[in-house]
Amino acid sequence: MNLWALYAKNFIEKIRNVDIPDEALMGSFDVVNLFTTTPVTEALQVLRQRLEEDDKLPDRTHHSVDTLMEMVTVCTQNTYFQFGTDFYKQVRGMAMGSPLSPVLCNIYLEHLENRAINSFITKPILFCRYVDDIFFVWPEGVCSIEEFHTHLNAQSTDIKFTIEKEVNGTIPFLDVLVKRNNHKLETEVYRKATDSGLYLQYDSNHPKAVKNGIVNTMLHRAETHSSTPSNYNQEVKKIDEILIRNKYPPKLIKNIKEKRKNKLKTTAEEKKPDATIVLPYIPRLSEKIKKLGNKNNIRVVFKSKETIKSKIVNFKPKSKKLSPKEVIYNIPCECGKSYIGETGRTVEVRLKEHQASVKKCDPDISKLTEHKLKTGHRFKWEDVKVIGKESNWRKRKIHEAAEILKGADKVISTPSFEIDPVWRPLIHNTRLRPKYKATENPPVRRSARLRARVQPITAPERTTRQRRTWQDGQ
């Protein structure tokens, strides 16, 4: 169960036995941009105070409060991020994605709300918070909620709260819809008006366990969020309609309901697996592999590389100077000779390895180092060129060998693939790459096939050649 579902469950348990007067008002507060508006300095002061007041801190760590605060301060006040090719430092608020940010924001917000409630005359009947969402029941007949809202916003110049009040005795909080009923609060599953009811289609290319998990999750939420049997039955009806629209077989839905009702658990679920393997999902084949894994107490998990995230999100920004992969490259020397090599990685990474080997002065590492030790010449690292591209490693080796063969004594490297002597005349007469201008970056292209360039013969020429051949034979 994830944290969101766990908090929703705890929230429902907390409000289940609360008596709500007729004049009381239900509502919710929401913090505006909590992470980026939380003042770092004040949050660190609150953290120090909490650590100093904690009598059990020495039992959990041998570090002093000063040491802990120094480490936290370094992490929170030196947050950098990259956009494109530029780096920036965040000077306000907590960093999004940092594991420290939720903790510090929660501590500071707890301090803020306690100060606001303790300094206000009227107290809320109920006050529950999950990160930046707050549910409250307010004694409206005693004091207006608008007054407390103003008082709450006055606690900080940075943190501000918005308010939402109940409508027709109902209000949504998280994924729970809270309703009044005879001084008690009832709950059911909440869906937004924009909810399309679209889930993973049953005929999609995903493991059956994923689809079963969707049905189980929806039914589990109906059980935890529905406070009355009528609300539960109504939610189950909606689930049936949604799943059938998403092409889930009614028999599958019925079987899962019966298993949940009887709380059946297989021995495979209770027994801890000896090992876990992760494989790409292939329809029909993966199911057979999973069965074999279950027989041998091996947990088999499937994953897919083709996700929306993999297609859209790119954490590595595009550099202004591209460094291609899977290429054949040329490193010139000041003496006029050059080193030709190939790599499946980027040219930039491979060049760093070459430069490191030259610095080590070990002739057994590469021909570059051997040439450097023998002649003392300098390699022109700034003039390195990409002379071909090929994704297939075998073809890339052949292309590299052909380039070395064409260069003859002007190339100091040795090929990792031996070309049969019968092809050598053809290689010498074939142009493997276009002639590049010195001022341009060489274009990236696939390796040219090693074949003779023969122009097609037209019909009249074929007839003439056949006639000459017949006459010569006479």
Side-chain angles (χ1 to χ4, degrees):
M1 185 182 297
N2 57 36
L3 288 177
W4 184 277
L6 182 62
Y7 184 80
K9 183 180 179 181
N10 293 338
F11 168 71
I12 293 168
E13 291 292 334
K14 192 170 185 178
I15 68 174
R16 180 164 293 172
N17 299 319
V18 173
D19 291 324
I20 176 170
D22 292 333
E23 67 278 3
L25 175 72
M26 290 191 304
S28 64
F29 291 122
D30 185 26
V31 183
V32 181
N33 301 327
L34 174 62
F35 278 41
T36 54
T37 58
T38 300
V40 179
T41 304
E42 295 179 29
L44 291 174
Q45 291 174 355
V46 175
L47 176 62
R48 174 179 282 276
Q49 181 181 352
R50 292 282 295 271
L51 291 174
E52 290 174 346
E53 294 173 354
D54 189 356
D55 297 333
K56 296 183 179 180
L57 181 65
D59 299 334
R60 299 196 302 271
T61 177
H62 64 277
H63 295 295
S64 64
V65 173
D66 290 336
T67 302
L68 293 173
M69 288 306 304
E70 184 179 358
M71 291 189 289
V72 175
T73 302
V74 169
C75 294
T76 53
Q77 294 187 344
N78 295 277
T79 54
Y80 298 89
F81 62 92
Q82 185 178 3
F83 181 76
T85 56
D86 299 322
F87 286 84
Y88 300 86
K89 180 180 180 181
Q90 183 173 343
V91 296
R92 184 172 179 266
M94 297 291 178
M96 299 291 290
S98 170
L100 276 174
S101 297
V103 178
L104 287 173
C105 289
N106 184 66
I107 290 174
Y108 180 73
L109 203 56
E110 184 179 343
H111 165 76
L112 208 66
E113 65 188 24
N114 286 337
R115 188 171 66 186
I117 293 172
N118 293 334
S119 60
F120 201 71
I121 299 175
T122 307
K123 311 299 180 186
I125 298 173
L126 184 64
F127 200 87
C128 304
R129 180 172 58 83
Y130 174 71
V131 189
D132 58 346
D133 293 316
I134 301 171
F135 176 84
F136 65 82
V137 177
W138 187 259
E140 187 69 11
V142 180
C143 182
S144 172
I145 187 61
E146 298 297 342
E147 295 181 38
F148 181 72
H149 184 208
T150 303
H151 177 71
L152 187 61
N153 278 332
Q155 300 302 311
S156 172
T157 57
D158 300 297
I159 300 290
K160 299 301 175 185
F161 298 82
T162 59
I163 186 172
E164 182 181 358
K165 302 176 184 177
E166 63 176 285
V167 178
N168 298 326
T170 63
I171 186 169
F173 184 70
L174 303 180
D175 59 345
V176 181
L177 184 65
V178 185
K179 295 181 177 181
R180 290 173 176 265
N181 187 8
N182 296 328
H183 304 287
K184 294 292 183 181
L185 296 178
E186 292 184 358
T187 59
E188 62 183 59
V189 175
Y190 171 70
R191 290 183 178 86
K192 292 183 179 180
T194 56
D195 180 41
S196 62
L198 289 176
Y199 287 83
L200 182 70
Q201 299 284 304
Y202 190 78
D203 57 1
S204 61
N205 189 27
H206 286 78
K208 188 178 178 181
V210 174
K211 300 164 189 175
N212 292 350
I214 291 174
V215 181
N216 273 298
T217 299
M218 296 178 72
L219 292 172
H220 177 74
R221 187 171 62 169
E223 294 168 3
T224 56
H225 289 26
S226 304
S227 58
T228 63
S230 61
N231 289 343
Y232 172 74
N233 293 330
Q234 186 178 359
E235 177 60 23
V236 170
K237 274 187 180 180
K238 289 181 182 177
I239 292 173
D240 289 342
E241 293 173 2
I242 291 171
L243 291 174
I244 290 172
R245 271 204 314 268
N246 287 275
K247 304 178 183 178
Y248 283 74
K251 186 177 180 181
L252 171 71
I253 303 171
K254 183 181 178 181
N255 290 339
I256 293 177
K257 285 181 183 177
E258 290 177 355
K259 285 184 179 181
R260 294 189 63 85
K261 187 177 181 180
N262 299 325
K263 296 182 179 180
L264 295 176
K265 290 186 178 180
T266 61
T267 55
E269 291 175 336
E270 296 174 355
K271 191 176 180 181
K272 188 177 180 181
D274 296 331
T276 300
I277 58 174
V278 181
L279 300 172
Y281 179 71
I282 302 172
R284 293 181 294 277
L285 176 61
S286 295
E287 282 76 9
K288 293 179 181 178
I289 296 174
K290 189 172 182 66
K291 286 182 179 178
L292 290 173
N294 291 338
K295 289 180 181 179
N296 296 278
N297 197 30
I298 297 174
R299 180 170 172 255
V300 182
V301 181
F302 303 110
K303 70 173 183 177
S304 175
K305 292 183 179 179
E306 299 295 329
T307 61
I308 295 177
K309 180 179 178 180
S310 66
K311 294 296 182 183
I312 298 176
V313 181
N314 182 17
F315 292 103
K316 293 184 179 180
K318 292 183 178 180
S319 175
K320 296 178 181 178
K321 187 177 180 181
L322 296 176
S323 183
K325 296 180 179 180
E326 301 171 337
V327 296
I328 300 94
Y329 56 91
N330 183 297
I331 305 175
C333 180
E334 62 181 2
C335 65
K337 295 184 178 182
S338 61
Y339 177 91
I340 294 177
E342 63 82 22
T343 180
R345 295 168 294 167
T346 62
V347 179
E348 184 180 1
V349 171
R350 188 65 182 124
L351 288 182
K352 287 181 180 178
E353 293 177 349
H354 282 311
Q355 290 171 343
S357 67
V358 171
K359 286 182 180 179
K360 291 179 181 178
C361 296
D362 187 353
D364 297 330
I365 295 179
S366 71
K367 289 290 182 179
L368 281 169
T369 309
E370 184 180 340
H371 183 75
K372 172 74 174 178
L373 292 174
K374 286 182 178 179
T375 62
H377 296 163
R378 185 184 69 85
F379 290 101
K380 299 179 180 180
W381 303 107
E382 65 280 1
D383 295 332
V384 174
K385 291 183 179 180
V386 173
I387 59 177
K389 179 173 177 62
E390 178 55 64
S391 57
N392 186 288
W393 69 271
R394 192 176 189 85
K395 293 180 181 179
R396 196 166 60 245
K397 294 282 187 184
I398 296 173
H399 192 159
E400 176 204 33
E403 292 284 359
I404 294 173
L405 186 62
K406 282 183 69 69
D409 58 348
K410 290 291 184 180
V411 179
I412 62 174
S413 52
T414 55
S416 54
F417 182 89
E418 185 177 355
I419 296 178
D420 194 282
V422 72
W423 295 104
R424 294 182 182 181
L426 182 62
I427 292 173
H428 285 293
N429 295 327
T430 303
R431 183 160 59 91
L432 298 176
R433 60 181 184 274
K435 295 180 180 179
Y436 306 125
K437 294 180 181 179
T439 56
E440 294 181 353
N441 290 327
V444 176
R445 62 187 294 273
R446 292 189 178 275
S447 300
R449 291 186 178 180
L450 305 180
R451 65 176 184 270
R453 299 188 175 183
V454 181
Q455 297 295 331
I457 304 172
T458 60
E461 290 176 347
R462 186 181 297 109
T463 304
T464 305
R465 289 189 182 185
Q466 289 173 351
R467 187 181 298 114
R468 287 174 182 173
T469 303
W470 179 80
Q471 291 174 352
D472 293 339
Q474 296 295 323

